[in-house]
Amino acid sequence: MKNNKYQAIYQQLVMKIEKQDFVAGSKLPSEHDLMELFDTSRETVRKALNQLAQNGYIQKVRGKGSIVLARDKFDFPISGLVSFKELAEKMGRPWQTVVHELESVVDSSDLESKLGESELWKVVRSRRVDDESIILDKDYFIKSQVPYLDQDICKNSIYNYLESEQGLQIAFADKEVTVEEATDEDRQLLDLNGLTHVVVVKSIVHLDDASPFQYTESRHRLDKFRFVDFARRMK
Amino acid sequence: MKNNKYQAIYQQLVMKIEKQDFVAGSKLPSEHDLMELFDTSRETVRKALNQLAQNGYIQKVRGKGSIVLARDKFDFPISGLVSFKELAEKMGRPWQTVVHELESVVDSSDLESKLGESELWKVVRSRRVDDESIILDKDYFIKSQVPYLDQDICKNSIYNYLESEQGLQIAFADKEVTVEEATDEDRQLLDLNGLTHVVVVKSIVHLDDASPFQYTESRHRLDKFRFVDFARRMK
DNA sequence: AAGTGGTCTAGACCACGGT
DNA sequence: CCGTGGTCTAGACCACTTG
């Protein structure tokens, strides 16, 4: 819990919207009202509202007010840097992680240019849902940032370990989504059922001081891939 | 050109970053310096900087400064609600749009629930790049918002027509990306070369008063699909 | 200690929508 | 006209990094 007024206001409003205390299509109280309600200044209220708009909860309309949007919350997915554990738990389906490789490697020159360092952890895991192996995750972590890893951590959430135990702050990622022909490894570790292609999500993940620390390749079975997004028009 | 100081500052900084006047990895001038440079208040500078951070140009680090990020600018894609015309022109490749259907339809009940209206325009277009048909766009527009359409407008940019001629302001969209088996229509209108699946991007587009006005289904040939994204970690 | 970004305030003026 | 959100200001205090 931070001491941020505007984040507190944001969270309270999100809660009320998700509980449907504010119905989609109706309007939020005016900035002036919220200002008195939370006993704060207008700019602080506006910071919270801008965050709501950014995340697709409301649409602000000049001269009218802030309209509550109908966001399908139930499947915020791979978007926005969620870990598989968070994602799986949000889906409420039984899931399982199988660790295939966990080893220390020294570069492959392609990765060094992306991560700026050559001593890496290589982790290969597959994700099972409903007793089928549908995602293959290949992760590379910079050893100087992640000195220790073990099977147990990999079987649970590496992100959770890094953020809560190691105090690393994951900040942002560059991502690329493409479709590629399945490799032998894909056919071995995924239940492809004869499918010839896989959806590949490649990303470079950065810490909050802007240093890259992880390269990930997430290979998804076509028919199980789904990606939901909320996009605002930039001017 | 609007009268916005902070957007003007944002645009000037973007320009300098893209021209590499500010090199990736180096730091922007401090907020205090920018404040004097642009003869403005600190909060105004900060609005511009927050927009830069939001769009992946910089990473702000407390106590240090704003670090310029190495964004691959060359292929900002389907992300962020770009029209095909903008996208194609940014790629600098010769492209062509073929209009297959342009007709007035009355609902199909599935769409009415999404758009809240039953009188629609249906537009089917394919997009050719390098002499191959690789994208099939199926659009439905609400007739009360879009009273007129013709072949010519569809062959160019519908968005451009709506925004500059009709004064409609596109604001945001809900999107879903999946992979589906190719339909007969796909095989007919796309050069699939035997590929069995297509990447499907479905979206509902809203105007700036939050009213939905368009449903789009964009069907892409697997091997030509690429989606680049910049994602910030939400807390 | 000096410099950086992060939060917050109280007030001002503007642009837009509805009455 | 009033109420709404959009922009801007000048100043304050705090938290963090660096010398």
Side-chain angles (χ1 to χ4, degrees):
Chain A
M1 209 62 86
K2 284 201 222 137
N3 230 354
N4 295 25
K5 240 183 204 176
Y6 81 90
Q7 286 189 5
I9 296 173
Y10 167 77
Q11 282 157 4
Q12 287 182 53
L13 291 176
V14 164
M15 220 159 40
K16 290 209 170 185
I17 290 174
E18 294 192 333
K19 272 201 307 175
Q20 313 227 9
D21 286 358
F22 296 124
V23 192
S26 68
K27 288 205 276 274
L28 241 47
S30 73
E31 297 181 350
H32 186 266
D33 289 349
L34 291 171
M35 198 175 122
E36 303 197 328
L37 237 154
F38 291 103
D39 186 34
T40 185
S41 70
R42 192 166 155 230
E43 287 290 1
T44 299
V45 166
R46 283 176 57 71
K47 265 193 207 172
L49 292 185
N50 284 333
Q51 214 174 321
L52 285 170
Q54 198 63 246
N55 295 346
Y57 287 103
I58 63 172
Q59 171 73 4
K60 306 175 83 177
V61 184
R62 194 206 290 252
K64 287 193 184 167
S66 295
I67 301 170
V68 179
L69 299 181
R71 300 288 298 126
D72 297 338
K73 290 154 285 305
F74 37 83
D75 52 7
F76 262 71
I78 298 137
S79 177
L81 278 182
V82 219
S83 72
F84 177 77
K85 189 181 178 187
E86 291 175 67
L87 178 56
E89 279 167 357
K90 201 161 281 183
M91 296 195 311
R93 301 277 271 294
W95 55 274
Q96 201 188 347
T97 295
V98 181
V99 182
H100 300 282
E101 286 183 48
L102 165 54
E103 53 176 343
S104 189
V105 298
V106 181
D107 190 32
S108 59
S109 88
D110 185 33
L111 284 176
E112 180 164 14
S113 65
K114 285 178 182 145
L115 295 177
E117 195 166 320
S118 58
E119 297 197 26
L120 309 170
W121 285 108
K122 178 182 183 186
V123 183
V124 178
R125 295 175 292 178
S126 64
R127 318 291 200 163
R128 298 176 73 85
V129 177
D130 294 341
D131 245 16
E132 280 189 309
S133 193
I134 58 172
I135 304 176
L136 179 63
D137 276 345
K138 305 175 69 167
D139 296 295
Y140 297 85
F141 297 92
I142 288 184
K143 271 204 141 174
S144 62
Q145 298 274 10
V146 187
Y148 178 73
L149 272 186
D150 62 31
Q151 288 264 337
D152 215 52
I153 294 167
C154 294
K155 215 160 157 22
N156 288 279
S157 174
I158 297 184
Y159 270 31
N160 184 57
Y161 164 71
L162 295 177
E163 292 207 310
S164 62
E165 315 251 323
Q166 297 293 314
L168 295 185
Q169 281 301 321
I170 281 104
F172 63 92
D174 291 299
K175 294 158 83 174
E176 182 191 64
V177 182
T178 54
V179 180
E180 297 183 6
E181 287 188 25
T183 63
D184 286 340
E185 190 182 35
D186 293 332
R187 276 182 285 271
Q188 234 168 56
L189 301 179
L190 294 175
D191 294 319
L192 285 185
N193 302 335
L195 291 169
T196 56
H197 291 71
V198 292
V199 178
V200 182
V201 182
K202 297 174 183 169
S203 41
I204 299 175
V205 185
H206 301 251
L207 299 176
D208 61 359
D209 66 349
S211 63
F213 96 111
Q214 177 197 9
Y215 171 79
T216 294
E217 206 171 300
S218 200
R219 308 175 71 86
H220 299 247
R221 209 171 83 181
L222 281 187
D223 56 331
K224 293 297 185 185
F225 181 76
R226 178 152 184 263
F227 176 87
V228 185
D229 196 22
F230 174 77
R232 286 206 166 266
R233 178 115 172 116
M234 321 228 194
K235 311 267 13 182
Chain B
M1 210 61 88
K2 284 200 224 140
N3 233 353
N4 294 26
K5 241 183 201 175
Y6 81 91
Q7 286 191 6
I9 297 174
Y10 167 77
Q11 282 158 4
Q12 288 182 54
L13 292 176
V14 164
M15 220 161 40
K16 291 209 169 183
I17 290 173
E18 294 192 334
K19 273 200 310 177
Q20 314 226 8
D21 286 359
F22 296 124
V23 192
S26 69
K27 285 206 276 273
L28 242 46
S30 74
E31 297 181 350
H32 183 75
D33 290 350
L34 291 172
M35 197 176 120
E36 303 196 328
L37 237 154
F38 291 102
D39 187 33
T40 186
S41 70
R42 189 164 158 233
E43 287 289 2
T44 299
V45 166
R46 285 176 55 73
K47 265 193 208 171
L49 292 186
N50 284 333
Q51 213 173 322
L52 285 171
Q54 197 63 244
N55 295 345
Y57 286 102
I58 63 172
Q59 172 74 4
K60 307 174 82 177
V61 185
R62 197 208 289 253
K64 287 193 181 168
S66 295
I67 302 170
V68 179
L69 299 181
R71 300 288 297 126
D72 298 338
K73 292 153 285 304
F74 37 83
D75 52 7
F76 261 71
I78 298 135
S79 177
L81 277 183
V82 219
S83 73
F84 178 76
K85 189 180 177 188
E86 291 174 66
L87 177 56
E89 280 167 357
K90 201 160 280 182
M91 294 195 312
R93 301 276 272 294
W95 56 274
Q96 201 188 347
T97 295
V98 181
V99 182
H100 299 283
E101 286 183 47
L102 165 55
E103 53 176 344
S104 188
V105 298
V106 180
D107 191 31
S108 58
S109 88
D110 184 33
L111 283 176
E112 181 165 13
S113 65
K114 286 177 182 146
L115 295 177
E117 196 166 317
S118 58
E119 298 198 26
L120 309 170
W121 285 107
K122 177 182 182 185
V123 183
V124 178
R125 295 175 291 179
S126 64
R127 319 291 201 164
R128 297 178 73 85
V129 177
D130 294 341
D131 245 16
E132 280 190 310
S133 193
I134 58 171
I135 304 177
L136 179 62
D137 276 346
K138 306 175 70 168
D139 296 294
Y140 297 85
F141 297 93
I142 286 183
K143 270 204 141 175
S144 62
Q145 297 275 10
V146 187
Y148 179 73
L149 271 187
D150 62 30
Q151 287 265 336
D152 216 53
I153 295 167
C154 294
K155 217 166 155 22
N156 288 279
S157 175
I158 296 182
Y159 270 31
N160 185 57
Y161 164 72
L162 295 177
E163 292 207 310
S164 61
E165 316 250 323
Q166 297 293 315
L168 295 184
Q169 282 299 323
I170 282 105
F172 63 92
D174 291 298
K175 296 157 83 174
E176 182 192 63
V177 182
T178 54
V179 180
E180 296 183 6
E181 287 188 25
T183 64
D184 286 341
E185 190 182 35
D186 293 332
R187 277 182 285 270
Q188 236 168 54
L189 301 179
L190 294 176
D191 294 319
L192 285 185
N193 301 335
L195 291 169
T196 56
H197 290 71
V198 292
V199 177
V200 182
V201 182
K202 297 174 183 167
S203 39
I204 298 175
V205 185
H206 301 251
L207 300 176
D208 62 359
D209 66 350
S211 63
F213 96 111
Q214 178 197 7
Y215 171 78
T216 294
E217 205 171 301
S218 200
R219 308 175 71 86
H220 300 246
R221 207 172 85 181
L222 280 188
D223 55 332
K224 294 295 185 184
F225 180 77
R226 179 154 184 261
F227 176 87
V228 186
D229 194 22
F230 175 78
R232 286 205 167 269
R233 178 118 173 114
M234 323 230 194
K235 311 264 22 178

